[in-house]
Each structure stands twice: as structure tokens, then as C-alpha cells.
Amino acid sequence: MSAVRVNAKIIRQEPIASDIYSMEISVPVIADQAKPGQFVTLYSKDGARLMPRPISICEINVAAGTLHLVYRVVGAGTREFAALQSGDWITVMGPLGNGFTIRDKKAILIGGGIGIPPMLALTAGLACEKTVVLGFRDEIFLAEAFEPYGDVYIASEDGGHGVKGNVLDAVREYGVTGEVIYACGPMPMLRAVKAYAMEHGIEAQLSLEERMACGVGACLGCVCETKDRDAHSNVHNKRICKDGPVFFAEEVELS
Amino acid sequence: MNMAVELCGVEFKNPVTVASGTFGSGEEYGEFIDLNRLGAVTTKGVANVPWQGNPTPRIAETWGGMLNAIGLQNPGMDVFCQRDIPFLKQYDTKIIVNVCGKQIADYVQVVERLAAEPVDLLEINVSCPNVKEGGIAFGQNPKALEEITQAVKAVAGQPVIMKLSPNVTDITEMARAAEAGGADGLSLINTVTGMKIDIKKRAFVLANKTGGLSGPCIKPLAVRMVYQVAQAVKLPIIGMGGITCAEDALEFMMAGATMVAVGSASFYDPLASVKVIEGIERFMREQGLTDIRDIIGCVE
Ligand SMILES: Cc1cc2nc3c(=O)[nH]c(=O)nc-3n(C[C@H](O)[C@H](O)[C@H](O)COP(=O)(O)OP(=O)(O)OC[C@H]3O[C@@H](n4cnc5c(N)ncnc54)[C@H](O)[C@@H]3O)c2cc1C
Ligand SMILES: Cc1cc2nc3c(=O)[nH]c(=O)nc-3n(C[C@H](O)[C@H](O)[C@H](O)COP(=O)(O)O)c2cc1C
Ligand code: FES
């Protein structure tokens, strides 16, 4: 099987925090194949908005044939999606990207802000010992969904929840240890996680973000700089939509 | 019902290809559509050596279209010939290779190399507005355009299509220059240079500041230029710019294009090119048309 573009029925949708929406869609052909760390693209019904909106897969329910997506309203596309209700349909393409490489090693899962949703699918997919560290600016969301899977530590910039500071402050404060880090979040966080992993000599897998046009690897719009010459591009660029979005920390230059 | 067309002596099973740079070399979209359905695949611009392209962000959505500043990232002709041409040869579709360069010698080197390859047509990109040192000078200056056309024609093993830039005052002047240089055909339009500003950050959205505008918003401009060029020169035309459906494609053909290319529309729907082919067939049935060639340039 491979990625498909289909119309999916919305099973439920509700706001879970300011401007953050939780949407469940029925799309068995994608749910069947999806892996943690992969994403889907959503499409506007307005033909004046041509570009796909990439959204990470937050939870996969193969039995029910559904995907759970959590997204922040930041512009016209996500505003349109937020107005949809159960029973409506949305055009979705996926699963896209590589997903995380699952290691059977004690894991630290780090999610920052709107990078938190994909960590939930990963938590559910990891059978080994693991700790989850989540970073928020102020308002928290989705944190309780992680609790059934293991220890969850929280950092918030305003100190309203958990440790005051960022995710690495929480890692240090709570003495979190592990042999592999999986992370998704804003670029400054990913840079800090990369530095931390290098310093401690442990593997880190980072999920990156970039503006996309095709979402399938054809247009070269979404590249990131790589340390080595990449086999497909034959230059120091990999495609985030196709070769990523998850990369090993040492293979990418985070500028 | 005949959907086949002939362009520059090459027979295409239908008049629909994909626009260079929007479709890679077909491998990725081959997961979504049957490449055998296409009249031709037009590949991403290839240079003599690998190009890194521009920094990101390279993409910005705009109303009814998009800006891109990929900067002609490509793996270079060696990898392209070893990997992409054999891939495409597995399919029953024609191969149009788009060529880019920074100076005439670069283009000549690629075209010489391609002469021995099983490629059906060459499309010479003299109009990409993204690379500061690159193509744009040829496409905006009739003398330079004629000169590069001659240079490429002198070594080409396949018919040569010059791809025109819309970023000029008089497109017919450029079309005549390409014709004078010996071009076998023309394709148009390439992207229209544009800009987008993020008002909250007070910054350019694209790292390159400017990018090429494509998508439905440029279609009327493209149809007008195809019509003007069709009136001005005898060369066959591949028309493109904002085609999203069969109706759009038919406008280009009636304006004078023998073939059409579907570009940015594939980003919204990977099936767009195949839907255009099916839609043209449907239109022909509805209108009782027996030969697609009868509509080419039918508006006078
Ligand atoms: C692999 C990946 C996974 C993502 N997962 C999630 C997620 O789970 N939840 C979530 O809330 N957001 C996620 N994002 C970001 C999300 O794609 C953007 O917030 C969204 O596209 C904004 O669309 P808009 O129309 O509301 O905003 P606008 O600003 O109006 O969008 C204009 C254009 O810019 C693009 N764009 C804007 N912001 C981003 C961005 N941060 N990344 C990529 N493209 C952008 C849009 O796709 C669109 O083409 C992810 C991005 C990537 C690349
Ligand atoms: C992402 C992107 C990359 C492109 N790359 C090339 C290229 O390498 N060579 C070229 O001649 N044109 C390139 N183009 C221009 C297209 O081939 C086409 O002329 C233009 O996009 C107009 O068609 P459209 O509106 O259907 O997309 C590119 C366009 C886009 C959107
Ligand atoms: S968005 Fe086109 S290559 Fe990634």
C-alpha cells in the first residue's frame, strides 16, 4: 500500500485549549498503514488555497479506522478546518513521511507546543520503558492523554505548570534519563535537544517542519540541510516531507 | 475519437504533460497516478552539475496560487541520466527533459550529454526567475535568447523547445527571437516574478525575497500570451500556467497550444493531470468532436 488522497468523515471535533482543536476522522485506508511520526496533509475546500496543510498524526486507531489530529489555528486553512463539525468531510492525504525509527531502548519523548501531538502516537507505540517531557508556553493541552503510558513531566515558560522553563530544564530538574530521545517542537527546542543528545552521547530523532507544496517529495520545496551529500538530491539537502519529517540529530544542520 | 497530437515531429498519445519542477521525474506522483496515462512527463530542470538551490522557506501560498523559489535544485546530469531516464523509460509516455544552466556552455554541455539518451524532446528553461546568476538574462533579452537557441540547436540530438518567461514587455518579441534562433517549438509560460511580505514579522516570506508565481491566478495572463505567440510565430506551443481542469486546458488549446502542461494543480490534487485528460475526453464526447487537433487555435 501507499499514500492515498481521500475524503474522510469527521467523527468528532472540539476545542481542547485556546485555538487548539482535537479532530477525529474516519479514514481506514490511512489508519491501516500509519506509523508514529508520520503526517497527513489536509486540503482547503476553497480552490484559492492550493497548498496542503501538513498535520502530524496524533493517534492511530486501526480497529476503528480512525486518526486523531490535534492542531492550532494559525491562519485561514486551520480556521476553515476548525469550523467543521462531526458528519462533515475533509480531504486528507497520507500517510506521508518516514515516521520515527522505533528502538527497544529506554526512551525520552520530548514534545514542545504544537509538536506534542505526534509524541502521543509514539508513546502508544513504544513498548519499552519511557518518560514523556512536555513543554508549554502557558496553557497546557493533551498532557493527560499521555498519563496512561508512563511518567509525564511538564515545563511551562510562565511556570504555571510543572517546572518553570523549557523541556530540558524539566529533564534536568526531574533527573530524566534514557538511551534514545524522540523529539518534536519548535526549532530552538530541537537545537537544544540536539546539543543535549550530543553532549550525552545518545541518539536523538527529531521531527522537523517546513512549508510544503507537494508533500510527496516532488517539488523540493521543503528541504533541510544535511551534513552529508544525500543520495536522492545529490546535494546536501533532504526532503522533510519524504525523507523526513524525522531525522537523526547528527544528519541535519539546524540553522 | 483522436486524442493524439504531433509536436515537433514527435507523436503524443494525448496533449497533456506535467509542468517542469512540479512533478520531479515522476517517481513520487507515480504512487498516485498511472504515468502511462500522460502524453509526456516533463522533468525538473537539470544542469550540468548538481545545484544546491535556495535556502528555505522556498514556498509561500498566495491567493489562487503560490510563490516558489526552489532555486533549481537538481542532482546534476550524471545522476539524472543514470537514474531518472531509465525510471521513465519503464512507462509508455514521452520524456521531455527540462534543461537549465548559468551560462550557455552549461546548457550546451547538458544538451550534448542528452543527445545520446532516449529522450523525446528538450525544453530549455531560459526563464526561471529564481537564480540570480542564471537563466533570466537569456529569457528577457531577445539577442541572448536567439544566441542560446542557436547554441543549443547546434548540438541537440532532439527537437528543442524554448520555454519563455512572462516577465517581459512583449512576449512576441521573445517568441520571434527563439524562432530566429532555430527553435522547434515553444512552451509558455514560466512563473511570474512575485513577492510576499509577512506583515507581523515585517520580513519577506521567502528566503530569496522574490519567487515565481504560479497557479490559477496566472491563467488569464498565460492564455493571453499563448494566443499572442500563436499569432506571431509558426512554432508549435506547449501552453501552461494555472491549469487545474479540462476547461482550463481547452482554453489554452483554443488559444493556439498543441499541448498543455499541468503544474501547481498537482500539489492540490495529485490526480489533476489525469483528470484533465479525462475531462478533455468528456468534452469531446459532449461536443461530438472526433479529433482534438480540430480545436487547436480555433479562436481567431
Ligand atoms: C510535518 C509537519 C507536521 C505538522 N503537524 C502539525 C500538528 O500536528 N498540529 C499543528 O497545529 N500544526 C502542525 N504543523 C504546522 C501546520 O502545518 C501549519 O500550522 C498549518 O499548515 C497552517 O495553515 P494555515 O492555513 O492555518 O496558516 P497560514 O499561515 O494561512 O498558511 C499559509 C501557508 O503556509 C503554510 N504554513 C504555515 N505555517 C506552517 C508551518 N508551521 N509549517 C508548515 N507550513 C506552514 C500553510 O500550510 C500554508 O501553505 C505541522 C507542519 C509540518 C511540516
Ligand atoms: C515548485 C515549482 C518548481 C518549478 N521548477 C521549474 C523548473 O525547474 N524549470 C522550469 O522551466 N519551470 C519550473 N517551474 C515552472 C512551471 O513549469 C510552470 O511553468 C509554472 O509553474 C506555471 O504553471 P502552473 O501555474 O500550472 O504551475 C516550476 C514551478 C513550480 C511551482
Ligand atoms: S513539499 Fe514538495 S518536496 Fe516536500
Side-chain angles (χ1 to χ4, degrees):
Chain A
M1 272 303 284
S2 53
V4 291
R5 181 181 184 275
V6 291
N7 288 336
K9 185 69 121 260
I10 295 172
I11 306 290
R12 54 161 192 87
Q13 158 140 284
E14 71 262 338
I16 55 171
S18 315
D19 288 334
I20 310 266
Y21 284 77
S22 164
M23 176 195 272
E24 193 173 330
I25 57 174
S26 172
V27 60
V29 278
I30 300 180
D32 260 356
Q33 319 173 50
K35 293 188 299 182
Q38 288 189 301
F39 66 97
V40 295
T41 48
L42 302 181
Y43 296 83
S44 170
K45 290 191 175 72
D46 180 345
R49 292 193 198 98
L50 278 183
M51 296 292 95
R53 269 62 183 173
I55 301 291
S56 303
I57 296 171
C58 174
E59 284 184 287
I60 307 160
N61 187 333
V62 178
T66 59
L67 293 179
H68 177 202
L69 309 175
V70 170
Y71 62 93
R72 173 175 276 145
V73 173
V74 297
T78 45
R79 203 173 309 124
E80 177 187 323
F81 306 148
L84 298 171
Q85 291 171 355
S86 59
D88 291 343
W89 58 269
I90 187 164
T91 306
V92 53
M93 186 161 89
L96 300 172
N98 58 353
F100 290 103
T101 304
I102 305 284
R103 305 284 193 203
D104 189 19
K105 281 191 211 166
K106 187 179 175 195
I108 312 176
L109 285 71
I110 302 180
I114 205 62
I116 290 171
M119 306 319 289
L120 187 55
L122 180 64
T123 308
L126 282 176
C128 58
E129 194 186 340
K130 64 213 163 189
T131 310
V132 177
V133 183
L134 306 177
F136 300 91
R137 196 174 305 143
D138 37 43
E139 199 179 357
I140 73 166
F141 60 89
L142 211 60
E144 74 292 346
F146 286 85
E147 274 157 17
Y149 300 105
D151 292 335
V152 180
Y153 297 109
I154 290 176
S156 59
E157 282 171 28
D158 68 353
H161 299 273
V163 171
K164 181 172 165 56
N166 62 33
V167 286
L168 288 173
D169 295 325
V171 166
R172 293 189 192 97
E173 175 83 17
Y174 295 111
V176 175
T177 59
E179 294 163 76
V180 53
I181 299 178
Y182 307 91
C184 184
M187 188 50 84
M189 181 196 106
L190 295 178
R191 248 185 254 126
V193 169
K194 176 175 176 173
Y196 180 90
M198 301 290 222
E199 186 189 319
H200 290 77
I202 54 178
E203 175 181 305
Q205 298 182 25
L206 311 175
S207 181
L208 307 187
E209 222 179 58
E210 189 49 79
R211 309 277 146 152
M212 294 182 178
C214 69
V216 299
C219 76
L220 308 179
C222 68
V223 299
C224 64
E225 200 183 333
T226 52
K227 196 162 138 280
D228 298 320
R229 189 177 276 265
D230 158 63
H232 175 268
S233 69
N234 199 25
V235 292
H236 294 256
N237 279 342
K238 281 195 174 184
R239 299 160 296 179
I240 291 179
C241 67
K242 182 83 176 176
D243 308 311
V246 182
F247 295 96
F248 293 105
E250 68 276 7
E251 73 179 314
V252 286
E253 311 279 0
L254 304 178
S255 53
Chain B
M1 195 168 84
N2 174 54
M3 279 282 276
V5 294
E6 185 247 296
L7 182 131
C8 304
V10 180
E11 170 110 0
F12 296 84
K13 69 172 118 182
N14 66 56
V16 180
T17 182
V18 289
S20 174
T22 63
F23 207 76
S25 290
E27 193 182 346
E28 296 81 11
Y29 278 115
E31 274 193 44
F32 295 88
I33 64 170
D34 179 4
L35 299 176
N36 298 305
R37 290 287 278 127
L38 300 173
V41 169
T42 305
T43 57
K44 169 78 186 161
V46 63
N48 54 337
V49 293
W51 288 8
Q52 182 81 19
N54 287 327
T56 54
R58 292 177 169 186
I59 302 286
E61 188 179 62
T62 59
W63 191 253
M66 61 176 287
L67 292 167
N68 91 82
I70 308 296
L72 291 173
Q73 180 187 323
N74 77 86
M77 63 183 183
D78 291 337
V79 166
F80 179 81
C81 290
Q82 281 154 25
R83 180 187 64 197
D84 298 23
I85 295 176
F87 169 79
L88 282 169
K89 279 313 283 179
Q90 304 171 80
Y91 296 91
D92 175 26
T93 186
K94 299 291 183 205
I95 305 174
I96 305 177
V97 176
N98 184 282
V99 177
C100 58
K102 294 178 178 167
Q103 47 184 338
I104 289 183
D106 300 345
Y107 286 91
V108 165
Q109 216 184 324
V110 181
V111 170
E112 271 178 333
R113 169 73 192 263
L114 290 170
E117 296 286 338
V119 163
D120 297 291
L121 278 181
L122 305 178
E123 182 181 61
I124 310 298
N125 177 10
V126 291
S127 47
C128 184
N130 294 328
V131 179
K132 289 188 203 77
E133 324 150 65
I136 197 65
F138 302 106
Q140 289 184 316
N141 175 336
K143 268 220 167 65
L145 181 56
E146 185 176 339
E147 198 186 331
I148 190 172
T149 308
Q150 272 171 356
V152 164
K153 268 301 286 178
V155 295
Q158 294 89 0
V160 171
I161 293 173
M162 301 305 286
K163 183 165 178 183
L164 302 183
S165 165
N167 303 310
V168 295
T169 312
D170 181 0
I171 191 82
T172 62
E173 191 186 3
M174 299 303 157
R176 284 193 203 94
E179 188 174 50
D184 300 294
L186 299 173
S187 62
L188 65 154
I189 61 175
N190 210 313
T191 55
V192 183
T193 307
M195 181 180 278
K196 181 171 179 175
I197 289 168
D198 182 329
I199 56 167
K200 284 187 189 145
K201 293 187 188 153
R202 301 188 182 196
F204 302 103
V205 173
L206 296 172
N208 189 53
K209 297 184 186 173
T210 61
L213 183 64
S214 63
C217 61
I218 67 169
K219 196 193 79 182
L221 184 81
V223 173
R224 182 263 292 178
M225 287 190 167
V226 165
Y227 176 75
Q228 286 180 313
V229 168
Q231 300 301 307
V233 297
K234 295 210 175 58
L235 303 176
I237 296 169
I238 305 178
M240 71 195 80
I243 295 175
T244 64
C245 59
E247 289 74 11
D248 295 342
L250 289 160
E251 280 194 56
F252 278 87
M253 296 190 74
M254 291 187 186
T258 301
M259 290 183 72
V260 292
V262 176
S264 310
S266 294
F267 300 154
Y268 184 75
D269 182 358
L271 273 60
S273 50
V274 170
K275 287 179 179 170
V276 166
I277 296 168
E278 290 167 354
I280 293 175
E281 288 166 348
R282 200 178 320 116
F283 178 83
M284 289 176 67
R285 278 195 300 274
E286 281 165 14
Q287 299 268 322
L289 277 168
T290 53
D291 194 332
I292 190 67
R293 291 172 299 185
D294 292 342
I295 66 151
I296 297 169
C298 71
V299 294
E300 287 297 337

